[in-house]
């Protein structure tokens, strides 16, 4: 009985990050200008120390769900469909054009990219950008499966199931 | 505009203001009176059974065999038989009353001058569209339903996300709003007034704060309101209001909200073209005035935690112009 | 016994949740609980009471009482019984571990899709709910199976089917209902909801051809019989108590049995009355109105027969009878509000308001909890060998009765003022404050009544007057055993010569001789006539039920996170079952 309880606690503790419900973003996170990271790690004159970017929405089920909602609300689907791409490149892939790390995707959203990716930096609050980042990464199995939604209530193939072999390479 | 939250019988099914709710209330009172009598009779017989002095029940057989005589049993059987027959008749009568009332409620659909309104439930607000054959006269608004007095209104309901339920008890019972289905309900108001309704199917974190106001007004007033609502927002007259409009257009607001007459055309949040003409904001959560609006925009998550309005950090010099601009959208 | 104690602990947990809810709603805009916590608490309150308290406590009483009433030594499948208990306990713990780690389900105790689907309920909360249902339904089905077999095949010699006590009829009918209803909820929660959420099926996704209403239909096909599953054993208990304390046999035995069976049948045909507001076709809905009203007839017949029994008996008004009278008062009121709910137009106004909350608490607490408490007081001498303190018992009854009415009667009025269900707060302009305040006060009074009951139980256990085998001079066989009964119930199995064997002439009473007392031997009888057929040896305590339960748990809990665990769990459970059923030496039974 005690073993069972301990086991249950272990399973549940790993869920603490997943099940956090932060409904109210702290004021700095509501800012519309985020912490823009560098584009790539290639620099003249030696290797720079890595800058760790705080990624609050990581592994959080509510954040990924919100990202799923915002992905449709802010019309990312207009160019990227539901990850398959169209006018814009697919978001379920192995080779990322501008990097697949959270800070890279974040910067893509903040600054925009050539050939049509709008700059969302003046529009989407920072905390919501991180939620979208989490969702995009969850489409690529880079977030725990237990925190990712299995499907949406719409005509989309489920990114987490139908795309088992996707991964990120730098 | 002040919100007349009148006492006692607001949002109440026993204060009917239309034929639908009136029929239901009549049925309810009939049931209540009849069934209260049944209840009192049952309890009365039970208590009487305890206090009987058992005249006529032979004690000796009871002590020995633990059952009274055959004659007593026969009397009891007849009594229970009679009670059962009475129960069946009462229930049958109630069933007929219920079915007849249901038919009467459905009768409103044969009216010839019905108006059609489509209500779409969202988490946690109501999208209202007045339908028309002329596409230029389809009015999209939110959270407040105006209807003309004395005219049947057909509510076509659906939902964008989860199951909600449209319920304005003064007017009619509820109808679920189910994604991918269209449910219909006919309502009619016989008296002008403001009637509060609320979502009646658990729809998530802010189910408690998903209310709407149904405002019944005489046909002329309704027509005037409708024409005013169809107009796009008037361009702001002075620099202060223009600064407010610019603040709106340059921040996150435009991603979700629409103000017809400007470039803001977001479809996923309430239409703000005539925001200042509404009694409440945030789906009936707060009375509509500048202070509440400011608080709502500054921190929606404290007022309605979990709702889908983004928390946007505005520059301090934008706040007052923005609020004045929004409050000018009559 | 373990069932009853565990269920009681869950009752207390559910009561705490109820108190939290009432405190939150006691005044407008209360900041005590936010919407997230409140949603979790009301979901767990409902799920706890329905799945973890009401059904298990009735089953636990059945497991304890039915063998005694039938004059046999044990239930038919003791290891299955143990397995069912472990699954129940683990399921309950699963739910509460979830609640305490912020993973409690928050979509309502019935978790309608699409709110509970993958898009609108992120995380593992609803998955935990769905698997908790699996555990508790497996447990319920285990107990239902063994009770049904016990009642049909293991009776005292001479106890033909028309002589079994009303309580055993109730448990037989309830077991049949469980076997039909529980699989439906397992399909709804596991197949529809869980696979939608974990592997992306589209049962409730209308864009891909699914339908949210499909879930509702299947859930309520279980959900309505579920309340009768809770309620029918209580009816049996009331019959037992009324017979004993009116000192006469229950009036109208055939009518009572038939109305129990009719209630069960009709109960399966009522489910759409939970869905009247969804816009289904009127004619179909009218059928369910008729059926929902028809079930009032069967319950009415039962009430009339009880009143007739009281009328023609010599009533002893002890605490158990107080609870029965309280039951009649509260349940009849609840049943009549149910008739109101059956009418579609009225239901359209009161559905999902506090009227429904009032109605179902009246029928569930009045119809199940009050008889249960009456049963506790009635069988207390048999449980513990001591008499319970009558004065304190009556005081606790009145406190509970008054507190209950103070809590739930104002809820009828709240609905007249338009308060919907499942709202975590409200604004002061709605004028709901007064009634909510009364309800909160009533809840605190119920708490006091519950405490009095517990105090009564503990103190009477320790120092109440010693009770003999049959302190009430009742007629059914459980009163022939010792108080408290030995683990084997009866050293010499009694025979049954009539419906109330202990009331028959002492010269006519028989016992069975020739059964061995050094091993777990029981008598298997004919189904209908009660003639003895052969002896059978029941297995003793083994570790395999617990092990199988643990292995099944590993599979089921794992499947919340990774669907592959269903396969692993199946293999593990098979291992457990192989160990369980490993053949042993056949036991020598002399003819």
């Amino acid at each position: 009985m005690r073993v069972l309880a301990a086991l249950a606690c272990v399973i549940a503790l790993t869920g603490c990050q997943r099940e956090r419900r932060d409904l109210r973003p702290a004021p700095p996170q509501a800012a519309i200008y985020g912490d823009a990271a560098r584009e790539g790690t290639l620099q003249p004159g030696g290797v720079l120390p890595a800058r760790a970017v705080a990624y609050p929405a990581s592994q959080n089920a509510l954040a990924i769900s919100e990202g799923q909602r915002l992905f449709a609300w802010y019309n990312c689907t207009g160019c990227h469909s539901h990850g398959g791409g169209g006018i814009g490149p697919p978001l379920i892939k192995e080779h990322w054009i501008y990097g697949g790390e959270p800070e890279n995707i974040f910067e893509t959203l903040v600054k925009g990219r050539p050939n049509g990716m709008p700059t969302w930096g003046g529009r989407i609050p920072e905390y919501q950008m991180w939620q979208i980042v989490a969702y995009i990464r969850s489409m690529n199995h880079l977030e725990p499966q237990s925190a990712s939604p299995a499907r949406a209530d719409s005509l989309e193939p489920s990114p987490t199931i139908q795309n088992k072999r996707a991964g990120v390479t730098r | 505009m002040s919100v007349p939250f009148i006492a006692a019988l607001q949002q109440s099914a026993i204060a009917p203001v239309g034929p639908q709710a009136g029929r239901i209330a009549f049925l309810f009172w009939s049931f209540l009176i009849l069934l209260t009598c049944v209840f009192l009779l049952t309890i009365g017989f039970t208590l009487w059974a305890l206090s009987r002095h058992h005249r006529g029940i032979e004690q000796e057989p009871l002590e020995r065999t633990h059952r009274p005589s055959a004659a007593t049993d026969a009397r009891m059987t007849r009594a229970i038989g009679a009670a059962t027959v009475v129960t069946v008749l009462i229930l049958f009568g109630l069933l007929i009353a219920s079915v007849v009332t249901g038919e009467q409620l459905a009768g409103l659909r044969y009216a010839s001058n019905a108006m059609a309104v489509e209500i779409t439930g969202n988490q946690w607000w109501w999208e209202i569209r007045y339908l028309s054959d002329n596409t230029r006269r389809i009015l999209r608004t939110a959270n407040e339903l105006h209807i003309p007095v004395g005219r049947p209104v057909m509510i076509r309901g659906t939902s964008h996300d989860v199951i909600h339920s449209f319920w304005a008890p003064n007017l009619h019972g509820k109808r679920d709003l189910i994604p991918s289905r269209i449910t219909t309900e006919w309502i009619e108001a016989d008296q002008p007034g403001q009637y509060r309704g609320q979502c009646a199917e658990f729809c998530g974190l802010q189910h408690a704060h998903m209310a709407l106001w149904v405002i019944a007004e005489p046909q002329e007033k309704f027509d005037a309101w409708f024409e005013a609502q169809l107009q796009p927002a008037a361009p702001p007259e002075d620099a202060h209001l223009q600064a407010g409009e610019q603040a709106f257009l340059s921040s996150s607001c435009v991603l979700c909200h629409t103000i017809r007459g400007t470039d803001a055309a977001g479809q996923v949040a309430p239409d703000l073209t005539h925001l200042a003409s509404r009694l409440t904001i945030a789906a009936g959560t707060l009375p509509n005035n500048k202070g509440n609006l400011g608080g709502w925009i500054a921190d929606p998550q404290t007022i309605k935690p979990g709702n889908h309005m983004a928390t946007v950090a505005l520059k301090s010099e934008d706040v007052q112009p923005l609020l004045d601009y929004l409050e000018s959208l009559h | 016994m373990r069932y009853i104690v565990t269920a009681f602990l869950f009752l207390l947990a559910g009561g705490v949740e109820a108190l939290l809810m009432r405190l939150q709603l006691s005044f407008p805009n209360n900041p005590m609980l936010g919407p997230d916590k409140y949603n979790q608490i009301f979901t767990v309150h409902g799920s706890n009471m329905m799945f973890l308290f009401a059904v298990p406590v009735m089953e636990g009483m059945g497991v304890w009482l039915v063998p005694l009433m039938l004059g046999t030594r044990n239930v038919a499948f003791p290891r299955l019984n143990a397995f069912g208990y472990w699954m129940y306990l683990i399921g309950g713990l699963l739910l509460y571990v979830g609640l305490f780690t912020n993973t409690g389900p928050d979509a309502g105790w019935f978790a309608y899709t699409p709110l509970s689907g993958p898009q609108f309920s992120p995380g593992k909360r609803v998955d935990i709910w769905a698997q908790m249902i699996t555990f508790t339904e497996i447990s319920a089905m285990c107990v239902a199976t063994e009770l049904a077999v016990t009642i049909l095949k293991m009776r005292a010699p001479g106890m033909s089917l028309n002589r079994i006590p009303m309580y055993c009829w109730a448990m037989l009918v309830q077991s049949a209902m469980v076997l039909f209803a529980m699989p439906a909820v397992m399909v709804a929660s596991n197949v529809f909801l869980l696979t939608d959420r974990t592997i992306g099926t589209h049962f409730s996704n209308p864009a891909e051809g699914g339908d949210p209403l499909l879930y509702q239909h299947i859930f309520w096909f279980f959900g309505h019989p579920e309340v009768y599953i809770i309620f029918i054993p209580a009816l049996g208990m009331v019959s037992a108590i009324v017979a004993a304390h009116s000192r006469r046999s229950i009036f109208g035995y055939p009518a009572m049995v038939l109305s129990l069976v009719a209630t069960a049948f009709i109960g399966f045909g009522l489910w759409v009355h939970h869905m009247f507001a969804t816009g289904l076709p009127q004619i179909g809905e009218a059928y369910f109105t008729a059926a929902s009203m028809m079930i009032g007839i069967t319950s009415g017949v039962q009430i009339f027969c009880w009143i007739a029994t009281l009328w023609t008996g010599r009533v002893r008004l002890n605490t158990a009878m107080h609870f029965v009278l309280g039951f009649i008062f509260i349940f009849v009121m609840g049943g009549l509000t149910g008739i109101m709910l059956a009418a579609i137009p009225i239901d359209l106004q009161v559905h999902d308001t506090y009227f429904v909350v009032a109605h179902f608490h009246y029928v569930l607490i009045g119809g199940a909890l009050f008889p249960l408490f009456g049963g506790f007081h009635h069988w207390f001498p048999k449980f513990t060998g001591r008499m319970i303190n009558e004065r304190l018992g009556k005081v606790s009854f009145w406190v509970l009765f008054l507190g209950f009415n103070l809590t739930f009667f104002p809820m009828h009025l709240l609905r007249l003022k338009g308060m919907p269900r499942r709202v975590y707060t409200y604004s002061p302009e709605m004028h709901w404050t007064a009634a909510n305040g009364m309800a909160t006060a009533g809840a605190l009074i119920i708490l006091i009544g519950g405490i009095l009951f517990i105090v009564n139980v503990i103190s009477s256990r320790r120092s109440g007057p010693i009770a003999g085998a049959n302190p009430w001079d009742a007629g059914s066989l459980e009163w022939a055993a010792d108080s408290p009964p030995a683990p084997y119930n009866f050293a010499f199995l009694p025979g049954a010569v009539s419906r109330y064997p202990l009331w028959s002439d002492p010269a006519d009473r028989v016992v069975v001789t020739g059964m061995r007392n050094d091993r777990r031997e029981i008598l298997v009888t004919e189904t209908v006539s009660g003639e003895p057929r052969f002896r059978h040896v029941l297995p003793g305590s083994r570790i395999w039920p617990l092990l199988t339960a643990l292995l099944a748990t590993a599979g089921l809990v794992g499947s919340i996170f990774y669907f592959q665990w269903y396969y692993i769990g199946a293999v593990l459970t098979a291992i457990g079952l192989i160990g369980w059923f490993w053949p042993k030496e056949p036991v020598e039974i002399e003819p």
Side-chain angles (χ1 to χ4, degrees), chain B residues 11-12 54 63 167 174 176 181, chain C residues 277 313-314 348 351 416 418:
Chain B
Q11 193 168 322
S12 167
H54 301 290
E63 294 292 344
W167 185 42
K174 54 189 63 76
D176 281 359
R181 285 173 170 251
Chain C
R314 232 172 12 105
L348 287 182
H351 170 66
L416 293 179

Side-chain angles (χ1 to χ4, degrees), chain C residues 305-541:
Chain C
C305 288
W306 285 321
I307 296 182
T309 313
L310 291 175
W311 194 280
T312 56
R314 232 172 12 105
V315 179
R316 179 196 298 135
L317 262 188
N318 60 355
T319 312
M321 279 304 286
H322 274 73
F323 275 101
V324 164
L325 296 171
F327 150 78
I328 292 183
F329 186 94
I330 298 178
F331 172 70
V332 171
M333 193 186 293
L336 294 174
T337 55
I339 301 282
M340 284 196 232
L341 283 166
I344 300 176
I346 299 182
D347 185 75
L348 287 182
Q349 283 282 24
V350 302
H351 170 66
D352 238 306
T353 64
Y354 266 79
F355 191 85
V356 179
V357 176
H359 160 73
F360 66 69
H361 281 94
Y362 265 78
V363 286
L364 282 175
I365 297 188
L369 203 68
F370 270 65
L372 182 69
F373 273 61
F376 282 154
H377 286 86
H378 175 68
W379 281 296
F380 190 84
K382 186 56 59 182
F383 277 144
T384 59
R386 292 179 183 270
M387 302 294 287
I388 199 166
N389 185 327
E390 285 292 323
R391 255 191 72 211
L392 191 51
K394 288 179 188 165
V395 167
S396 67
F397 163 75
W398 282 109
V399 173
L400 280 172
F401 182 77
L402 290 169
F404 170 81
N405 279 299
L406 186 60
T407 307
F408 291 103
F409 193 79
M411 292 189 181
H412 295 110
L413 307 174
L414 271 180
R415 98 79 182 160
L416 293 179
K417 295 186 176 184
M419 182 168 180
R421 284 173 79 175
R422 306 189 186 109
V423 291
Y424 75 99
T425 188
Y426 52 93
S427 59
E429 296 94 7
M430 300 310 300
H431 295 274
W432 295 334
T433 315
N436 271 307
M438 277 205 286
T440 307
L444 294 169
I445 297 180
I446 295 182
L447 175 67
I448 297 176
I451 294 177
L452 283 176
F453 170 72
I454 296 176
V455 162
N456 196 2
V457 165
I458 295 178
S459 72
S460 302
R461 258 201 89 158
R462 236 181 276 154
S463 56
I466 304 272
N470 195 354
W472 308 122
D473 191 30
S476 41
L477 276 178
E478 77 269 23
W479 300 101
D482 294 329
S483 300
Y488 47 82
N489 289 352
F490 299 99
F492 292 100
L493 298 185
V497 297
S498 68
R499 255 175 223 161
Y500 294 89
L502 295 188
W503 281 344
S504 37
D505 210 333
D508 295 333
R509 296 185 210 161
V510 297
V511 288
V512 174
T513 55
M515 307 262 302
R516 286 176 57 164
N517 289 339
D518 55 346
R519 62 185 184 188
R520 298 159 183 253
E521 217 173 62
I522 52 127
L523 201 60
V524 175
T525 55
E526 281 280 344
T527 310
V528 174
S529 66
E531 293 297 316
R533 299 265 284 134
F534 56 87
R535 286 179 290 176
H536 178 64
V537 179
L538 292 177
S541 296

Side-chain angles (χ1 to χ4, degrees), chain B residues 244-306:
Chain B
E245 188 191 29
Q246 276 312 302
F248 185 88
L249 293 176
S250 62
S251 68
S252 315
C253 316
V254 301
L255 291 177
C256 301
H257 287 286
T258 297
I259 297 183
R260 277 178 283 123
T262 67
D263 284 337
Q267 297 292 314
V268 292
D271 185 314
L272 301 180
T273 313
H274 295 281
L275 176 62
S277 71
R278 295 188 197 145
L279 294 175
T280 59
I281 56 173
T285 310
L286 296 169
N288 186 0
N289 54 52
K290 189 172 165 189
N292 284 336
L293 192 59
W296 172 248
I297 295 176
D299 196 359
Q301 296 299 328
T302 296
I303 295 173
K304 202 168 162 180

Side-chain angles (χ1 to χ4, degrees), chain A residues 21-33 62 66 69-70 72-74 120 122-128 153, chain B residues 123 125 161 179 205 248-256 268-269 299 301-302 305-313 315:
Chain A
R21 306 266 155 147
D22 296 325
L23 298 177
R24 185 165 173 269
Q29 290 213 311
I32 55 179
Y33 299 104
L62 179 66
E66 289 289 284
R69 172 178 68 84
L70 295 171
W73 277 29
Y74 294 159
W120 295 102
R123 300 287 173 171
I124 301 182
E126 182 187 333
Y127 74 100
Q128 287 191 334
D153 278 25
Chain B
Q123 278 181 326
W125 60 282
D161 37 38
L205 280 168
F248 185 88
L249 293 176
S250 62
S251 68
S252 315
C253 316
V254 301
L255 291 177
C256 301
V268 292
D299 196 359
Q301 296 299 328
T302 296
N307 90 90
H308 291 320
M309 171 131 162
T311 307
V312 180
K315 302 200 197 61

Side-chain angles (χ1 to χ4, degrees), chain B residues 122-126 142-144 196-199 206-213 270 278 280-286 296 304:
Chain B
N122 291 281
Q123 278 181 326
W124 291 278
W125 60 282
W126 310 86
N143 294 331
E144 201 171 274
R196 191 174 187 271
Q198 195 164 349
C199 175
Q206 286 300 330
H207 170 65
H209 284 139
M210 186 171 163
L212 86 160
W213 282 90
R278 295 188 197 145
T280 59
I281 56 173
T285 310
L286 296 169
W296 172 248
K304 202 168 162 180

